[in-house]
Amino acid sequence: MQSIDTILQLLSEDSYIKTVLYESPYSANLKIDRKPSPYAICYLVQSFDVDVIGNRFFRSLSVEVFFCEPTDLSADGYKVQAVCDNMLLRAEDFIHRLKDTHLFEFEKVTMRQAVGRFDKNVTGIVCELDLKERFPVCFSELPEPTDTLSDLT
């Protein structure tokens, strides 16, 4: 999906972020131990709606990105807050750059501090985005469906 590709590209262009993942929470948990930090974890699309107008459709999607860094379990509040403040800057920059693409209407953006539920203790900012694509896709332009998951790899 081109929308996700654009989001992942923008995340990877941030020179501060060392690892960008597009995974389920379980899969991200398995991978972050072996990857350099800080991380931007784009979770699999939470919901996906389509508005059909003639032979065109406009996609709306809910995306969640977790900007995070490892923190010690014994980290005090000041250390955790410093990490969150730093990750908030990353999230704000990402949102500005995503808006600059003019590909989406921003229906809702929510940001909150979070501690990751991973084997590795991570702290950061979760950015929840409800987006609607501005440019429709025609049904005739869709790629052919694949039969199996192996076709996708």
Side-chain angles (χ1 to χ4, degrees):
M1 180 186 322
Q2 181 181 1
S3 302
I4 294 299
D5 291 340
T6 300
I7 290 168
L8 295 174
Q9 179 64 37
L10 290 172
L11 291 170
S12 66
E13 290 172 0
D14 186 328
S15 62
Y16 184 78
I17 300 295
K18 301 299 182 222
T19 299
V20 175
L21 298 172
Y22 179 49
E23 306 286 342
S24 69
Y26 174 77
S27 186
N29 183 37
L30 297 175
K31 292 183 179 180
I32 64 170
D33 284 340
R34 297 170 287 177
K35 303 283 186 181
S37 65
Y39 313 106
I41 303 168
C42 183
Y43 294 120
L44 300 176
V45 173
Q46 302 296 313
S47 70
F48 181 92
D49 297 319
V50 177
D51 293 330
V52 179
I53 301 172
N55 69 338
R56 302 173 302 156
F57 69 89
F58 297 82
R59 294 180 278 206
S60 297
L61 53 145
S62 294
V63 177
E64 189 173 300
V65 180
F66 186 24
F67 296 88
C68 57
E69 286 189 56
T71 50
D72 293 331
L73 286 171
S74 61
D76 64 20
Y78 294 107
K79 172 77 171 164
V80 170
Q81 189 61 50
V83 169
C84 289
D85 290 347
N86 194 19
M87 293 296 104
L88 181 61
L89 295 174
R90 310 277 41 100
E92 289 173 345
D93 178 65
F94 165 70
I95 289 169
H96 286 297
R97 290 185 296 119
L98 188 59
K99 281 187 175 189
D100 287 346
T101 68
H102 302 287
L103 295 175
F104 304 100
E105 294 175 19
F106 285 69
E107 295 180 348
K108 183 179 175 185
V109 176
T110 304
M111 289 192 271
R112 59 185 164 78
Q113 282 187 206
V115 175
R117 299 181 184 108
F118 301 116
D119 293 339
K120 180 185 249 183
N121 193 53
V122 293
T123 301
I125 298 293
V126 173
C127 182
E128 298 169 355
L129 305 161
D130 291 336
L131 306 170
K132 183 170 187 171
E133 292 179 330
R134 289 187 179 186
F135 304 103
V137 176
C138 292
F139 286 116
S140 61
E141 296 172 2
L142 292 174
E144 290 295 317
T146 58
D147 291 332
T148 64
L149 284 177
S150 63
D151 292 339
L152 299 173
T153 55

